[in-house]
């Protein structure tokens, strides 16, 4: 019997539940390996070869190589583990979060200082808030993508 997951209807949100944890186990283990300096060096020297040492799916490996953190999350990645990739690349968590919203770092910071996105119109898929799929990606960084 499948579990009822009402949270699947929250726009722009992937809940890291048991299903996501199972799906992303090796992706998250790879991320945690980056806590060791020697592993970060090996990864930076030949990212593909290092990823091929892990039992990740090809789709997960490609998402890591593209630094597509939203895709990594959809494929079972946990943001707290994925932050290790950003740290390996010399990026702050704020820079990573901005990239995930299509915003520049400054736009993301300013939005968060002002209290973040409004919950109005963002509580269920189909409403007309700024987290809805038809409004993504947001910000100048998202508009500059070809």
């Amino acid at each position: 019997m499948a579990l009822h997951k009402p949270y699947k209807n929250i726009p722009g949100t992937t809940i890291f539940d048991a299903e996501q944890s199972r799906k992303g186990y090796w992706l998250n283990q790879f991320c945690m390996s980056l806590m060791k300096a020697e592993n970060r060096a090996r990864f930076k020297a030949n990212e593909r070869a290092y990823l091929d040492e892990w039992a990740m799916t090809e789709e997960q490996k490609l998402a890591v190589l593209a630094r597509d953190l939203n895709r990594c999350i959809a494929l079972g990645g946990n943001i707290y583990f994925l932050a290790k990739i950003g740290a390996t690349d010399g990026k702050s968590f704020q820079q990573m979060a901005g990239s995930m919203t299509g915003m520049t770092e400054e736009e993301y910071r300013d939005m968060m200082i002002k209290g973040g996105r409004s919950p109005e119109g963002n509580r269920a898929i189909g409403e007309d808030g700024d987290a809805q799929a038809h409004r993504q990606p947001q910000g100048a960084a998202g508009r500059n993508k070809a």
Side-chain angles (χ1 to χ4, degrees):
M1 178 174 166
L3 294 175
H4 176 61
K5 298 181 179 183
Y7 51 80
K8 288 221 173 224
N9 196 32
I10 302 170
T13 302
T14 300
I15 304 296
F16 189 75
D17 59 9
E19 180 182 350
Q20 285 295 101
S21 178
R22 284 188 296 277
K23 187 177 2 176
Y25 179 80
W26 289 112
L27 169 59
N28 292 315
Q29 290 298 304
F30 150 73
C31 291
M32 291 305 291
S33 79
L34 298 176
M35 290 181 67
K36 294 184 176 180
E38 61 268 21
N39 291 337
R40 290 191 299 273
R42 287 182 54 227
F43 176 61
K44 293 307 282 182
N46 188 333
E47 293 184 2
R48 182 62 204 218
Y50 189 75
L51 288 172
D52 284 341
E53 295 177 21
W54 296 90
M56 298 162 54
T57 67
E58 181 65 15
E59 194 173 7
Q60 288 170 328
K61 292 174 185 180
L62 292 175
V64 170
L65 291 169
R67 300 305 195 267
D68 186 342
L69 300 176
N70 288 324
R71 189 74 192 128
C72 286
I73 287 175
L75 296 170
N78 179 293
I79 189 59
Y80 297 105
F81 297 142
L82 295 171
K84 310 299 187 261
I85 299 170
T88 298
D89 289 340
K91 303 225 184 234
S92 69
F93 195 84
Q94 186 171 288
Q95 288 171 307
M96 290 176 55
S99 76
M100 294 170 71
T101 61
M103 295 180 182
T104 65
E105 178 183 5
E106 294 77 20
E107 287 174 320
Y108 180 79
R109 181 196 60 234
D110 292 347
M111 176 191 70
M112 295 307 291
I113 288 171
K114 293 175 185 169
R117 290 182 176 146
S118 168
E120 297 304 318
N122 290 321
R123 294 185 182 152
I125 292 174
E127 295 177 336
D128 197 28
D130 58 2
Q132 299 291 320
H134 68 281
R135 300 218 189 271
Q136 299 296 319
Q138 302 175 6
R143 287 190 298 273
N144 293 334
K145 290 184 179 180

